[in-house]
Tab-separated table of all heavy atoms in Angstrom:
chain	number	residue	atom	x	y	z
A	1	MET	N	0.808	-1.199	0.000
A	1	MET	CA	0.000	0.000	0.000
A	1	MET	C	0.852	1.263	0.000
A	1	MET	O	0.361	2.312	-0.347
A	1	MET	CB	-0.912	0.020	1.234
A	1	MET	CG	-2.041	-1.008	1.185
A	1	MET	SD	-3.118	-0.801	-0.215
A	1	MET	CE	-3.980	0.667	0.212
A	2	GLU	N	2.090	1.176	0.417
A	2	GLU	CA	2.905	2.381	0.490
A	2	GLU	C	3.598	2.708	-0.825
A	2	GLU	O	4.345	3.667	-0.908
A	2	GLU	CB	3.935	2.249	1.603
A	2	GLU	CG	4.901	1.111	1.404
A	2	GLU	CD	5.704	0.820	2.643
A	2	GLU	OE1	5.162	0.862	3.742
A	2	GLU	OE2	6.895	0.559	2.475
A	3	HIS	N	3.363	1.926	-1.861
A	3	HIS	CA	3.992	2.212	-3.151
A	3	HIS	C	3.371	3.440	-3.817
A	3	HIS	O	4.068	4.174	-4.517
A	3	HIS	CB	3.865	1.020	-4.097
A	3	HIS	CG	4.618	-0.186	-3.633
A	3	HIS	ND1	5.953	-0.160	-3.349
A	3	HIS	CD2	4.213	-1.453	-3.403
A	3	HIS	CE1	6.348	-1.362	-2.967
A	3	HIS	NE2	5.300	-2.164	-2.981
A	4	GLY	N	2.100	3.675	-3.605
A	4	GLY	CA	1.419	4.812	-4.233
A	4	GLY	C	2.043	6.148	-3.904
A	4	GLY	O	2.380	6.919	-4.812
A	5	PRO	N	2.213	6.488	-2.628
A	5	PRO	CA	2.828	7.773	-2.297
A	5	PRO	C	4.267	7.900	-2.795
A	5	PRO	O	4.695	8.980	-3.197
A	5	PRO	CB	2.778	7.814	-0.767
A	5	PRO	CG	1.645	6.925	-0.405
A	5	PRO	CD	1.658	5.842	-1.435
A	6	ALA	N	5.013	6.810	-2.775
A	6	ALA	CA	6.403	6.863	-3.240
A	6	ALA	C	6.455	7.104	-4.745
A	6	ALA	O	7.297	7.865	-5.227
A	6	ALA	CB	7.131	5.582	-2.884
A	7	ILE	N	5.556	6.473	-5.476
A	7	ILE	CA	5.516	6.689	-6.929
A	7	ILE	C	5.066	8.110	-7.239
A	7	ILE	O	5.597	8.760	-8.145
A	7	ILE	CB	4.612	5.642	-7.596
A	7	ILE	CG1	5.257	4.262	-7.481
A	7	ILE	CG2	4.340	6.000	-9.042
A	7	ILE	CD1	4.371	3.125	-7.920
A	8	PHE	N	4.098	8.622	-6.471
A	8	PHE	CA	3.653	10.002	-6.664
A	8	PHE	C	4.788	10.977	-6.382
A	8	PHE	O	5.011	11.927	-7.153
A	8	PHE	CB	2.460	10.306	-5.755
A	8	PHE	CG	1.989	11.728	-5.851
A	8	PHE	CD1	1.267	12.158	-6.943
A	8	PHE	CD2	2.289	12.630	-4.848
A	8	PHE	CE1	0.848	13.465	-7.045
A	8	PHE	CE2	1.871	13.945	-4.937
A	8	PHE	CZ	1.137	14.365	-6.037
A	9	ALA	N	5.512	10.776	-5.286
A	9	ALA	CA	6.636	11.656	-4.953
A	9	ALA	C	7.703	11.596	-6.034
A	9	ALA	O	8.266	12.630	-6.424
A	9	ALA	CB	7.224	11.266	-3.603
A	10	ALA	N	7.984	10.409	-6.541
A	10	ALA	CA	8.975	10.269	-7.609
A	10	ALA	C	8.534	11.021	-8.853
A	10	ALA	O	9.336	11.710	-9.494
A	10	ALA	CB	9.204	8.794	-7.922
A	11	ALA	N	7.245	10.900	-9.194
A	11	ALA	CA	6.737	11.596	-10.377
A	11	ALA	C	6.837	13.107	-10.216
A	11	ALA	O	7.210	13.822	-11.155
A	11	ALA	CB	5.288	11.184	-10.643
A	12	VAL	N	6.532	13.605	-9.035
A	12	VAL	CA	6.617	15.048	-8.781
A	12	VAL	C	8.062	15.522	-8.894
A	12	VAL	O	8.350	16.532	-9.553
A	12	VAL	CB	6.027	15.393	-7.402
A	12	VAL	CG1	6.342	16.826	-7.006
A	12	VAL	CG2	4.525	15.162	-7.404
A	13	PHE	N	8.977	14.801	-8.260
A	13	PHE	CA	10.390	15.184	-8.339
A	13	PHE	C	10.890	15.152	-9.778
A	13	PHE	O	11.590	16.067	-10.232
A	13	PHE	CB	11.257	14.261	-7.481
A	13	PHE	CG	11.274	14.618	-6.028
A	13	PHE	CD1	10.984	13.659	-5.078
A	13	PHE	CD2	11.602	15.883	-5.602
A	13	PHE	CE1	11.004	13.963	-3.727
A	13	PHE	CE2	11.628	16.213	-4.259
A	13	PHE	CZ	11.322	15.249	-3.317
A	14	LEU	N	10.552	14.094	-10.519
A	14	LEU	CA	11.028	13.969	-11.894
A	14	LEU	C	10.445	15.053	-12.795
A	14	LEU	O	11.164	15.643	-13.611
A	14	LEU	CB	10.701	12.579	-12.437
A	14	LEU	CG	11.500	11.431	-11.818
A	14	LEU	CD1	10.945	10.091	-12.279
A	14	LEU	CD2	12.974	11.549	-12.162
A	15	LEU	N	9.155	15.324	-12.662
A	15	LEU	CA	8.538	16.365	-13.489
A	15	LEU	C	9.084	17.748	-13.158
A	15	LEU	O	9.372	18.549	-14.060
A	15	LEU	CB	7.025	16.344	-13.327
A	15	LEU	CG	6.306	15.192	-14.009
A	15	LEU	CD1	4.828	15.195	-13.634
A	15	LEU	CD2	6.471	15.283	-15.513
A	16	PHE	N	9.235	18.049	-11.876
A	16	PHE	CA	9.752	19.361	-11.502
A	16	PHE	C	11.200	19.529	-11.944
A	16	PHE	O	11.577	20.588	-12.463
A	16	PHE	CB	9.644	19.586	-9.993
A	16	PHE	CG	10.173	20.931	-9.575
A	16	PHE	CD1	9.453	22.079	-9.828
A	16	PHE	CD2	11.402	21.038	-8.950
A	16	PHE	CE1	9.942	23.320	-9.465
A	16	PHE	CE2	11.900	22.271	-8.575
A	16	PHE	CZ	11.165	23.416	-8.830
A	17	GLY	N	12.018	18.506	-11.735
A	17	GLY	CA	13.419	18.596	-12.146
A	17	GLY	C	13.565	18.761	-13.647
A	17	GLY	O	14.348	19.589	-14.112
A	18	ALA	N	12.784	17.991	-14.409
A	18	ALA	CA	12.844	18.108	-15.869
A	18	ALA	C	12.351	19.476	-16.333
A	18	ALA	O	12.943	20.093	-17.229
A	18	ALA	CB	12.027	16.996	-16.512
A	19	ALA	N	11.285	19.974	-15.717
A	19	ALA	CA	10.757	21.288	-16.097
A	19	ALA	C	11.743	22.403	-15.756
A	19	ALA	O	11.926	23.346	-16.548
A	19	ALA	CB	9.422	21.529	-15.404
A	20	LEU	N	12.382	22.309	-14.610
A	20	LEU	CA	13.353	23.333	-14.221
A	20	LEU	C	14.558	23.336	-15.153
A	20	LEU	O	15.038	24.403	-15.565
A	20	LEU	CB	13.792	23.115	-12.774
A	20	LEU	CG	14.714	24.167	-12.173
A	20	LEU	CD1	14.052	25.536	-12.209
A	20	LEU	CD2	15.062	23.793	-10.751
A	21	LEU	N	15.035	22.155	-15.521
A	21	LEU	CA	16.161	22.095	-16.459
A	21	LEU	C	15.755	22.575	-17.847
A	21	LEU	O	16.530	23.251	-18.533
A	21	LEU	CB	16.716	20.675	-16.510
A	21	LEU	CG	17.461	20.224	-15.254
A	21	LEU	CD1	17.876	18.764	-15.383
A	21	LEU	CD2	18.665	21.092	-14.981
A	22	ALA	N	14.533	22.248	-18.273
A	22	ALA	CA	14.051	22.727	-19.581
A	22	ALA	C	13.901	24.237	-19.573
A	22	ALA	O	14.265	24.918	-20.547
A	22	ALA	CB	12.734	22.049	-19.928
A	23	TRP	N	13.357	24.789	-18.492
A	23	TRP	CA	13.202	26.241	-18.364
A	23	TRP	C	14.565	26.924	-18.428
A	23	TRP	O	14.755	27.890	-19.159
A	23	TRP	CB	12.511	26.561	-17.043
A	23	TRP	CG	12.482	28.016	-16.706
A	23	TRP	CD1	13.355	28.679	-15.901
A	23	TRP	CD2	11.551	28.993	-17.169
A	23	TRP	NE1	13.021	30.000	-15.828
A	23	TRP	CE2	11.911	30.226	-16.595
A	23	TRP	CE3	10.455	28.942	-17.995
A	23	TRP	CZ2	11.214	31.389	-16.828
A	23	TRP	CZ3	9.750	30.113	-18.230
A	23	TRP	CH2	10.124	31.312	-17.662
A	24	THR	N	15.498	26.412	-17.685
A	24	THR	CA	16.832	27.001	-17.661
A	24	THR	C	17.495	26.886	-19.029
A	24	THR	O	18.094	27.846	-19.515
A	24	THR	CB	17.700	26.313	-16.595
A	24	THR	OG1	17.025	26.397	-15.342
A	24	THR	CG2	19.054	26.966	-16.470
A	25	GLY	N	17.355	25.713	-19.646
A	25	GLY	CA	17.947	25.514	-20.966
A	25	GLY	C	17.324	26.381	-22.043
A	25	GLY	O	17.981	26.732	-23.019
A	26	ALA	N	16.070	26.733	-21.879
A	26	ALA	CA	15.408	27.596	-22.860
A	26	ALA	C	15.749	29.068	-22.648
A	26	ALA	O	15.783	29.851	-23.602
A	26	ALA	CB	13.892	27.408	-22.786
A	27	ARG	N	15.971	29.473	-21.417
A	27	ARG	CA	16.208	30.878	-21.119
A	27	ARG	C	17.660	31.315	-21.331
A	27	ARG	O	17.913	32.432	-21.756
A	27	ARG	CB	15.819	31.176	-19.666
A	27	ARG	CG	14.400	30.827	-19.298
A	27	ARG	CD	13.399	31.742	-19.881
A	27	ARG	NE	13.440	33.008	-19.187
A	27	ARG	CZ	12.653	34.030	-19.489
A	27	ARG	NH1	11.776	33.926	-20.441
A	27	ARG	NH2	12.756	35.169	-18.850
A	28	VAL	N	18.599	30.433	-21.031
A	28	VAL	CA	20.017	30.817	-21.067
A	28	VAL	C	20.484	31.207	-22.472
A	28	VAL	O	21.133	32.248	-22.627
A	28	VAL	CB	20.891	29.697	-20.449
A	28	VAL	CG1	22.358	29.942	-20.722
A	28	VAL	CG2	20.643	29.620	-18.959
A	29	PRO	N	20.201	30.431	-23.529
A	29	PRO	CA	20.712	30.825	-24.847
A	29	PRO	C	20.167	32.168	-25.344
A	29	PRO	O	20.825	32.856	-26.114
A	29	PRO	CB	20.247	29.700	-25.772
A	29	PRO	CG	19.964	28.549	-24.897
A	29	PRO	CD	19.551	29.122	-23.584
A	30	ARG	N	18.991	32.538	-24.898
A	30	ARG	CA	18.391	33.817	-25.314
A	30	ARG	C	18.906	34.998	-24.507
A	30	ARG	O	18.619	36.143	-24.837
A	30	ARG	CB	16.880	33.745	-25.150
A	30	ARG	CG	16.233	32.752	-26.028
A	30	ARG	CD	14.754	32.780	-25.832
A	30	ARG	NE	14.150	31.662	-26.536
A	30	ARG	CZ	13.047	31.081	-26.174
A	30	ARG	NH1	12.380	31.513	-25.124
A	30	ARG	NH2	12.577	30.076	-26.856
A	31	GLY	N	19.583	34.700	-23.403
A	31	GLY	CA	20.059	35.775	-22.535
A	31	GLY	C	18.969	36.297	-21.620
A	31	GLY	O	19.133	37.344	-20.994
A	32	ALA	N	17.859	35.600	-21.538
A	32	ALA	CA	16.764	36.002	-20.667
A	32	ALA	C	17.073	35.580	-19.229
A	32	ALA	O	17.783	34.601	-19.006
A	32	ALA	CB	15.464	35.358	-21.130
A	33	PRO	N	16.549	36.313	-18.268
A	33	PRO	CA	16.828	35.938	-16.881
A	33	PRO	C	16.157	34.612	-16.507
A	33	PRO	O	15.043	34.333	-16.908
A	33	PRO	CB	16.235	37.094	-16.067
A	33	PRO	CG	15.256	37.747	-16.963
A	33	PRO	CD	15.738	37.527	-18.360
A	34	VAL	N	16.865	33.822	-15.752
A	34	VAL	CA	16.331	32.545	-15.276
A	34	VAL	C	15.445	32.785	-14.060
A	34	VAL	O	14.387	32.185	-13.916
A	34	VAL	CB	17.477	31.574	-14.944
A	34	VAL	CG1	16.962	30.301	-14.309
A	34	VAL	CG2	18.265	31.258	-16.202
A	35	ALA	N	15.866	33.667	-13.181
A	35	ALA	CA	15.097	34.056	-11.999
A	35	ALA	C	15.058	35.575	-11.939
A	35	ALA	O	16.081	36.239	-12.149
A	35	ALA	CB	15.717	33.487	-10.744
A	36	GLU	N	13.918	36.113	-11.663
A	36	GLU	CA	13.746	37.562	-11.630
A	36	GLU	C	14.552	38.175	-10.494
A	36	GLU	O	14.450	37.755	-9.337
A	36	GLU	CB	12.266	37.901	-11.442
A	36	GLU	CG	11.951	39.363	-11.585
A	36	GLU	CD	12.135	39.876	-12.995
A	36	GLU	OE1	11.900	39.112	-13.954
A	36	GLU	OE2	12.527	41.043	-13.150
A	37	GLY	N	15.380	39.166	-10.839
A	37	GLY	CA	16.139	39.895	-9.835
A	37	GLY	C	17.406	39.207	-9.349
A	37	GLY	O	18.016	39.659	-8.390
A	38	VAL	N	17.800	38.105	-10.000
A	38	VAL	CA	19.001	37.385	-9.594
A	38	VAL	C	19.969	37.391	-10.771
A	38	VAL	O	19.575	37.172	-11.912
A	38	VAL	CB	18.669	35.929	-9.188
A	38	VAL	CG1	19.914	35.200	-8.747
A	38	VAL	CG2	17.614	35.913	-8.108
A	39	ARG	N	21.242	37.639	-10.475
A	39	ARG	CA	22.234	37.651	-11.540
A	39	ARG	C	22.345	36.264	-12.188
A	39	ARG	O	22.291	35.246	-11.502
A	39	ARG	CB	23.601	38.059	-10.995
A	39	ARG	CG	23.661	39.501	-10.531
A	39	ARG	CD	25.026	39.851	-10.012
A	39	ARG	NE	25.345	38.977	-8.880
A	39	ARG	CZ	26.583	38.626	-8.541
A	39	ARG	NH1	27.599	39.080	-9.208
A	39	ARG	NH2	26.784	37.840	-7.511
A	40	PRO	N	22.517	36.209	-13.505
A	40	PRO	CA	22.630	34.910	-14.186
A	40	PRO	C	23.799	34.069	-13.697
A	40	PRO	O	23.729	32.843	-13.721
A	40	PRO	CB	22.811	35.292	-15.658
A	40	PRO	CG	22.250	36.655	-15.777
A	40	PRO	CD	22.469	37.318	-14.451
A	41	VAL	N	24.860	34.710	-13.238
A	41	VAL	CA	26.023	33.970	-12.744
A	41	VAL	C	25.642	33.125	-11.528
A	41	VAL	O	26.210	32.057	-11.299
A	41	VAL	CB	27.158	34.964	-12.398
A	41	VAL	CG1	28.320	34.262	-11.730
A	41	VAL	CG2	27.604	35.707	-13.629
A	42	VAL	N	24.677	33.580	-10.768
A	42	VAL	CA	24.215	32.860	-9.585
A	42	VAL	C	23.025	31.971	-9.915
A	42	VAL	O	22.938	30.825	-9.472
A	42	VAL	CB	23.846	33.861	-8.467
A	42	VAL	CG1	23.267	33.150	-7.261
A	42	VAL	CG2	25.052	34.687	-8.071
A	43	ALA	N	22.079	32.485	-10.714
A	43	ALA	CA	20.814	31.788	-10.957
A	43	ALA	C	20.990	30.519	-11.779
A	43	ALA	O	20.357	29.499	-11.482
A	43	ALA	CB	19.842	32.730	-11.654
A	44	VAL	N	21.810	30.549	-12.805
A	44	VAL	CA	21.939	29.394	-13.698
A	44	VAL	C	22.533	28.176	-12.973
A	44	VAL	O	21.944	27.093	-13.027
A	44	VAL	CB	22.739	29.765	-14.968
A	44	VAL	CG1	23.040	28.540	-15.798
A	44	VAL	CG2	21.977	30.790	-15.786
A	45	PRO	N	23.660	28.307	-12.289
A	45	PRO	CA	24.178	27.117	-11.589
A	45	PRO	C	23.231	26.589	-10.511
A	45	PRO	O	23.100	25.375	-10.343
A	45	PRO	CB	25.490	27.583	-10.968
A	45	PRO	CG	25.875	28.801	-11.694
A	45	PRO	CD	24.610	29.419	-12.180
A	46	LEU	N	22.570	27.489	-9.796
A	46	LEU	CA	21.640	27.035	-8.762
A	46	LEU	C	20.435	26.317	-9.374
A	46	LEU	O	19.968	25.312	-8.831
A	46	LEU	CB	21.179	28.215	-7.910
A	46	LEU	CG	22.183	28.724	-6.898
A	46	LEU	CD1	21.631	29.935	-6.145
A	46	LEU	CD2	22.571	27.641	-5.922
A	47	ALA	N	19.931	26.821	-10.493
A	47	ALA	CA	18.802	26.170	-11.152
A	47	ALA	C	19.203	24.797	-11.689
A	47	ALA	O	18.447	23.828	-11.573
A	47	ALA	CB	18.268	27.051	-12.271
A	48	VAL	N	20.379	24.703	-12.276
A	48	VAL	CA	20.853	23.414	-12.790
A	48	VAL	C	21.082	22.439	-11.638
A	48	VAL	O	20.724	21.259	-11.724
A	48	VAL	CB	22.129	23.605	-13.640
A	48	VAL	CG1	22.781	22.283	-13.963
A	48	VAL	CG2	21.797	24.374	-14.911
A	49	LEU	N	21.661	22.921	-10.541
A	49	LEU	CA	21.895	22.070	-9.377
A	49	LEU	C	20.571	21.595	-8.774
A	49	LEU	O	20.421	20.413	-8.445
A	49	LEU	CB	22.720	22.828	-8.342
A	49	LEU	CG	23.121	22.052	-7.099
A	49	LEU	CD1	24.090	20.937	-7.475
A	49	LEU	CD2	23.768	22.984	-6.098
A	50	ALA	N	19.607	22.493	-8.637
A	50	ALA	CA	18.309	22.112	-8.070
A	50	ALA	C	17.571	21.146	-8.995
A	50	ALA	O	16.961	20.171	-8.527
A	50	ALA	CB	17.459	23.360	-7.829
A	51	GLY	N	17.619	21.377	-10.301
A	51	GLY	CA	16.978	20.460	-11.243
A	51	GLY	C	17.614	19.084	-11.212
A	51	GLY	O	16.916	18.063	-11.217
A	52	GLY	N	18.924	19.045	-11.172
A	52	GLY	CA	19.621	17.759	-11.096
A	52	GLY	C	19.336	17.034	-9.797
A	52	GLY	O	19.167	15.809	-9.773
A	53	ALA	N	19.261	17.784	-8.694
A	53	ALA	CA	18.948	17.167	-7.397
A	53	ALA	C	17.537	16.592	-7.394
A	53	ALA	O	17.302	15.503	-6.854
A	53	ALA	CB	19.109	18.189	-6.286
A	54	CYS	N	16.594	17.295	-7.997
A	54	CYS	CA	15.223	16.778	-8.074
A	54	CYS	C	15.161	15.522	-8.927
A	54	CYS	O	14.456	14.565	-8.571
A	54	CYS	CB	14.285	17.846	-8.627
A	54	CYS	SG	13.909	19.126	-7.429
A	55	LEU	N	15.874	15.500	-10.036
A	55	LEU	CA	15.903	14.292	-10.856
A	55	LEU	C	16.526	13.128	-10.086
A	55	LEU	O	16.031	12.000	-10.138
A	55	LEU	CB	16.681	14.543	-12.152
A	55	LEU	CG	15.990	15.410	-13.195
A	55	LEU	CD1	16.922	15.623	-14.383
A	55	LEU	CD2	14.683	14.803	-13.643
A	56	ALA	N	17.590	13.405	-9.355
A	56	ALA	CA	18.231	12.349	-8.569
A	56	ALA	C	17.299	11.824	-7.478
A	56	ALA	O	17.226	10.612	-7.239
A	56	ALA	CB	19.528	12.871	-7.952
A	57	LEU	N	16.557	12.711	-6.821
A	57	LEU	CA	15.603	12.282	-5.802
A	57	LEU	C	14.480	11.445	-6.405
A	57	LEU	O	14.028	10.463	-5.800
A	57	LEU	CB	15.023	13.486	-5.073
A	57	LEU	CG	15.886	14.083	-3.977
A	57	LEU	CD1	15.293	15.394	-3.486
A	57	LEU	CD2	16.047	13.119	-2.834
A	58	GLY	N	14.020	11.835	-7.594
A	58	GLY	CA	12.983	11.055	-8.259
A	58	GLY	C	13.455	9.661	-8.615
A	58	GLY	O	12.737	8.672	-8.406
A	59	VAL	N	14.658	9.555	-9.113
A	59	VAL	CA	15.223	8.240	-9.440
A	59	VAL	C	15.435	7.426	-8.166
A	59	VAL	O	15.175	6.223	-8.135
A	59	VAL	CB	16.544	8.405	-10.230
A	59	VAL	CG1	17.280	7.095	-10.358
A	59	VAL	CG2	16.249	8.999	-11.601
A	60	TRP	N	15.870	8.082	-7.093
A	60	TRP	CA	16.059	7.392	-5.821
A	60	TRP	C	14.733	6.839	-5.296
A	60	TRP	O	14.671	5.700	-4.827
A	60	TRP	CB	16.691	8.336	-4.812
A	60	TRP	CG	16.898	7.714	-3.474
A	60	TRP	CD1	17.887	6.846	-3.108
A	60	TRP	CD2	16.091	7.909	-2.312
A	60	TRP	NE1	17.737	6.508	-1.792
A	60	TRP	CE2	16.643	7.139	-1.281
A	60	TRP	CE3	14.959	8.676	-2.049
A	60	TRP	CZ2	16.095	7.118	-0.009
A	60	TRP	CZ3	14.419	8.656	-0.779
A	60	TRP	CH2	14.980	7.873	0.214
A	61	CYS	N	13.669	7.643	-5.379
A	61	CYS	CA	12.349	7.188	-4.928
A	61	CYS	C	11.889	5.988	-5.737
A	61	CYS	O	11.379	5.003	-5.172
A	61	CYS	CB	11.312	8.301	-5.043
A	61	CYS	SG	11.435	9.585	-3.801
A	62	LEU	N	12.059	6.032	-7.034
A	62	LEU	CA	11.669	4.891	-7.854
A	62	LEU	C	12.523	3.671	-7.552
A	62	LEU	O	12.036	2.537	-7.558
A	62	LEU	CB	11.761	5.230	-9.343
A	62	LEU	CG	10.661	6.127	-9.891
A	62	LEU	CD1	10.896	6.411	-11.364
A	62	LEU	CD2	9.290	5.515	-9.681
A	63	GLY	N	13.783	3.882	-7.283
A	63	GLY	CA	14.660	2.775	-6.914
A	63	GLY	C	14.241	2.126	-5.617
A	63	GLY	O	14.314	0.901	-5.475
A	64	ARG	N	13.782	2.911	-4.670
A	64	ARG	CA	13.295	2.352	-3.416
A	64	ARG	C	12.026	1.519	-3.628
A	64	ARG	O	11.849	0.494	-3.005
A	64	ARG	CB	12.993	3.462	-2.405
A	64	ARG	CG	14.185	4.332	-2.045
A	64	ARG	CD	15.060	3.689	-1.054
A	64	ARG	NE	14.332	3.586	0.216
A	64	ARG	CZ	14.839	3.030	1.280
A	64	ARG	NH1	16.054	2.548	1.262
A	64	ARG	NH2	14.143	2.944	2.383
A	65	VAL	N	11.167	1.975	-4.545
A	65	VAL	CA	9.934	1.230	-4.821
A	65	VAL	C	10.279	-0.062	-5.542
A	65	VAL	O	9.779	-1.142	-5.183
A	65	VAL	CB	8.962	2.075	-5.671
A	65	VAL	CG1	7.817	1.230	-6.190
A	65	VAL	CG2	8.424	3.241	-4.853
A	66	TRP	N	11.125	0.012	-6.561
A	66	TRP	CA	11.473	-1.194	-7.328
A	66	TRP	C	12.253	-2.192	-6.490
A	66	TRP	O	12.186	-3.383	-6.724
A	66	TRP	CB	12.263	-0.827	-8.575
A	66	TRP	CG	11.407	-0.224	-9.642
A	66	TRP	CD1	10.085	-0.462	-9.844
A	66	TRP	CD2	11.800	0.697	-10.638
A	66	TRP	NE1	9.639	0.275	-10.909
A	66	TRP	CE2	10.677	0.994	-11.420
A	66	TRP	CE3	13.008	1.315	-10.946
A	66	TRP	CZ2	10.720	1.875	-12.487
A	66	TRP	CZ3	13.052	2.182	-12.008
A	66	TRP	CH2	11.913	2.447	-12.774
A	67	GLY	N	12.998	-1.702	-5.517
A	67	GLY	CA	13.743	-2.594	-4.648
A	67	GLY	C	12.841	-3.409	-3.723
A	67	GLY	O	13.198	-4.493	-3.292
A	68	ARG	N	11.642	-2.894	-3.448
A	68	ARG	CA	10.717	-3.579	-2.548
A	68	ARG	C	9.755	-4.487	-3.284
A	68	ARG	O	9.023	-5.238	-2.660
A	68	ARG	CB	9.906	-2.560	-1.774
A	68	ARG	CG	10.740	-1.791	-0.776
A	68	ARG	CD	9.866	-0.867	0.013
A	68	ARG	NE	10.692	-0.030	0.875
A	68	ARG	CZ	10.239	1.000	1.520
A	68	ARG	NH1	8.965	1.334	1.427
A	68	ARG	NH2	11.023	1.711	2.287
A	69	LEU	N	9.710	-4.411	-4.600
A	69	LEU	CA	8.745	-5.254	-5.348
A	69	LEU	C	9.156	-6.688	-5.399
A	69	LEU	O	10.213	-7.117	-5.355
A	69	LEU	CB	8.566	-4.698	-6.762
A	69	LEU	CG	7.864	-3.364	-6.861
A	69	LEU	CD1	7.791	-2.928	-8.314
A	69	LEU	CD2	6.465	-3.417	-6.291
């Protein structure tokens, strides 16, 4: 019964991480700001780091579910 919440959490982490990386990847080549009021030198690495961390958490959650099946 506990697989449902873990799969939901994994889906949320994976979708958010992918969306954040896509947003950052779309904004950087155009020179548009990634975050309002934050210098690109700071915003881009933090956005990439946060997106990668969310993807890693999503994969970890799925790994925990698959390990219990």
Side-chain angles (χ1 to χ4, degrees):
M1 289 301 289
E2 61 192 40
H3 295 305
I7 292 171
F8 177 75
V12 169
F13 278 128
L14 290 171
L15 286 173
F16 180 74
L20 185 59
L21 289 176
W23 171 264
T24 304
R27 304 288 287 180
V28 169
R30 296 182 189 151
V34 174
E36 188 68 33
V38 181
R39 293 180 300 152
V41 173
V42 176
V44 172
L46 284 178
V48 169
L49 183 66
C54 285
L55 287 177
L57 279 171
V59 169
W60 179 78
C61 285
L62 285 178
R64 300 280 293 178
V65 169
W66 285 332
R68 291 184 186 169
L69 292 179

